[in-house]
Amino acid sequence: QILGKAYAVLSDAEQRALYDEQGTVDEEGEALRGERDWQEYWRLLFKKITVKDIEDFEKSYKDSEEELADIKGAYVDFEGDMDRIMESVLCVDYTDEPRIRKIIEKAIDSGEVPSYKGFVKESKQKMMARKRRAEQEAREAEKTKDELGLGDGEEDLKALIQSRNKDRKKEMDDFLAQLEAKYGNNAKSRGKKTAAKKGKK
């Protein structure tokens, strides 16, 4: 209805002149009293977006120059805050984080973007909190989908998504395991040294 009224005003010379001059519209005017089926009209101008359209866009967007520019832009805009970067980049979920991190690290190494402490020194606790939030949101989305009865008749698509999610989850788990191996052992060894020193005293 709002789009319909805006279009009616802008496409009618008298209504547009009145709006340009006074900033108001004649609600009783002929242009706004039409019974046009606006949904049908806009559908003629803009085709319906399907799941396939979204998937095709995701395929063409991921690993593209456009995505690369968006990731670098988000990194600079948010000064390395991965929470905000992951929220702003299109078509990503928490399982894409290892890939996004590699892209940013490469850009830092090449001098394309500055090295922000928020990114380089991000704590493992913050990473895990982000993972837990994303998993919780995914569970809530799945529950809502079930409640609304969505997904019926798209079994092949669901199977494909589930397969992808399993692969992505394995990548994320491997990534976290690497972090554990890199930083966890150091923390444990520091703890042992501290304990040893206390024993000597």
Side-chain angles (χ1 to χ4, degrees):
Q1 289 176 344
I2 293 169
L3 287 172
K5 284 188 176 185
Y7 180 82
V9 170
L10 295 174
S11 62
D12 182 272
E14 290 182 14
Q15 285 276 359
R16 181 164 187 165
L18 178 66
Y19 180 77
D20 288 343
E21 185 180 329
Q22 300 179 10
T24 60
V25 296
D26 179 8
E27 293 284 344
E28 299 302 317
E30 186 67 33
L32 297 183
R33 288 208 307 266
E35 295 299 322
R36 176 179 290 194
D37 184 340
W38 288 108
Q39 185 171 341
E40 183 180 342
Y41 176 74
W42 294 115
R43 185 57 64 220
L44 288 173
L45 296 181
F46 306 101
K47 72 168 189 165
K48 186 176 181 179
I49 302 298
T50 66
V51 172
K52 187 176 185 307
D53 291 330
I54 296 169
E55 284 197 315
D56 288 345
F57 171 77
E58 184 176 348
K59 285 176 187 174
S60 65
Y61 178 75
K62 283 195 170 182
D63 298 317
S64 68
E65 289 299 318
E66 184 181 2
E67 185 197 41
L68 190 62
D70 288 345
I71 292 169
K72 291 178 192 173
Y75 171 78
V76 172
D77 289 345
F78 302 128
E79 298 185 350
D81 185 335
M82 279 301 288
D83 285 350
R84 300 178 72 186
I85 293 168
M86 293 300 292
E87 287 171 1
S88 67
V89 177
L90 296 174
C91 302
V92 301
D93 60 33
Y94 79 92
T95 59
D96 287 296
E97 184 170 332
R99 183 176 66 86
I100 302 298
R101 279 189 167 277
K102 283 178 184 175
I103 290 170
I104 293 171
E105 287 166 358
K106 187 176 179 182
I108 292 171
D109 291 343
S110 65
E112 295 175 68
V113 296
S115 176
Y116 290 117
K117 186 178 178 181
F119 175 80
V120 179
K121 302 284 187 183
E122 185 181 40
S123 69
K124 187 180 175 186
Q125 287 81 2
K126 188 180 177 190
M127 289 183 190
M128 293 303 295
R130 181 166 55 249
K131 179 177 183 286
R132 284 193 297 271
R133 279 198 308 273
E135 288 175 335
Q136 177 64 27
E137 288 170 5
R139 284 193 295 270
E140 289 172 359
E142 189 67 28
K143 183 180 176 184
T144 301
K145 188 192 79 171
D146 291 341
E147 288 172 356
L148 295 174
L150 300 177
D152 294 337
E154 296 187 52
E155 293 304 318
D156 289 345
L157 174 61
K158 285 164 69 178
L160 177 63
I161 291 172
Q162 287 168 355
S163 173
R164 283 184 186 167
N165 286 344
K166 283 179 184 175
D167 292 341
R168 287 174 173 174
K169 185 177 185 306
K170 184 179 183 307
E171 287 177 11
M172 188 63 182
D173 289 343
D174 290 345
F175 172 64
L176 292 172
Q178 289 172 9
L179 287 175
E180 182 70 37
K182 185 174 181 181
Y183 299 109
N185 291 337
N186 290 341
K188 287 176 185 173
S189 62
R190 280 198 299 271
K192 287 177 182 175
K193 286 178 183 175
T194 304
K197 286 180 182 176
K198 285 181 180 176
K200 286 179 181 179
K201 286 180 181 178

